[in-house]
Amino acid sequence: MRRRGILAVVSGFSGAGKGTLMKNLLKQYGNYALSISMTTRLPREGEEDGREYFFVSKEIFEEKVERNGFIEYACYCDNYYGTPREYVEYQLDMGKDVLLEIEIQGALKVKEKFPEALLLFVMPPSAKELKNRLTGRGTETPDVVSKRLNRAILEAQGIENYDYIVINDDLEICTQELHSIINTAHKSVRRNEEFIENMRQELNVLVKGEK
Ligand code: ADP
Ligand code: 5GP
């Protein structure tokens, strides 16, 4: 019996370290598949089409919306971002734990459509450290940094919708914590109904056979 993968949604303020954590998880453990989103934002220096994102025009993005090609999409700081449907469904069927690194509006839509999804929120150790990381990354103008920090205030209001928070202070510890939460979720009674039912039947057969 192949266990079905877990759909793990990872959100967090811009600069909290989500991208870094995802790379670390993929590098250290074998059972993850990271969904690559489609976006209308421009690539940052060093980003490659098909690796960090599929970078597309607004027209192409809207066409895919029309064709129901996303499991969710949202507008974030003036750009569209969406999760392509096919890859996610295929990898879950293959038993992979699928990571969606998405913002909060998208996360809530995923929870509506996939109630069994696991929602994780990455926190920085402090607000000051968040600003340091966001500016230290050096990829956004001061204006965009300020927009993203303002957005963090809004996002902080929605954290109660998530299942767990992880604090990204030490990267290695945080990576292990994320992995351990996802692994523990595989053990939940809800996710093991088939195994439990088989055991009930086996017990019945065994006891009846011994009479
Ligand atoms: P996000 O994807 O959440 O926007 P990034 O992964 O791009 O964030 O990380 C933002 C910056 O913080 C990057 O420069 C990254 O190297 C740095 N960073 C990430 N995690 C840590 C950590 N645990 N300690 C210190 N710096 C970190
Ligand atoms: P960035 O521009 O920093 O790469 O991403 C901005 C925000 O968009 C981040 O919070 C990131 O998690 C989120 N994001 C990335 N891809 C998607 C997606 O497919 N859907 C949604 N809803 N948000 C996404």
Side-chain angles (χ1 to χ4, degrees), residues 13-16 123-137 145 149 152-153 167-169:
F13 314 134
S14 184
M123 289 280 214
S126 68
K128 195 152 182 285
E129 174 65 9
L130 179 70
K131 189 174 178 192
N132 287 343
R133 287 185 190 170
L134 201 46
T135 41
R137 186 166 70 187
V145 167
L149 286 174
I153 295 180
I167 300 171
N168 180 21
D169 192 353

Side-chain angles (χ1 to χ4, degrees), residues 11-23 44 76 101 122 125 129-130 132-140 148 167-172 174:
S11 304
F13 314 134
S14 184
K18 303 178 295 294
T20 311
L21 276 165
M22 296 302 95
K23 281 194 191 127
R44 293 180 186 133
Y76 172 94
E101 191 220 302
V122 178
E129 174 65 9
L130 179 70
N132 287 343
R133 287 185 190 170
L134 201 46
T135 41
R137 186 166 70 187
T139 48
E140 272 85 16
R148 286 178 174 230
I167 300 171
N168 180 21
D169 192 353
D170 180 289
L171 181 66
E172 294 309 319
C174 190

Side-chain angles (χ1 to χ4, degrees), residues 9-13 18 100-104 107 120-122 162:
V9 176
V10 181
S11 304
F13 314 134
K18 303 178 295 294
L100 303 187
E101 191 220 302
I102 65 177
E103 55 66 68
I104 195 161
L120 310 163
F121 200 93
V122 178
Y162 285 73

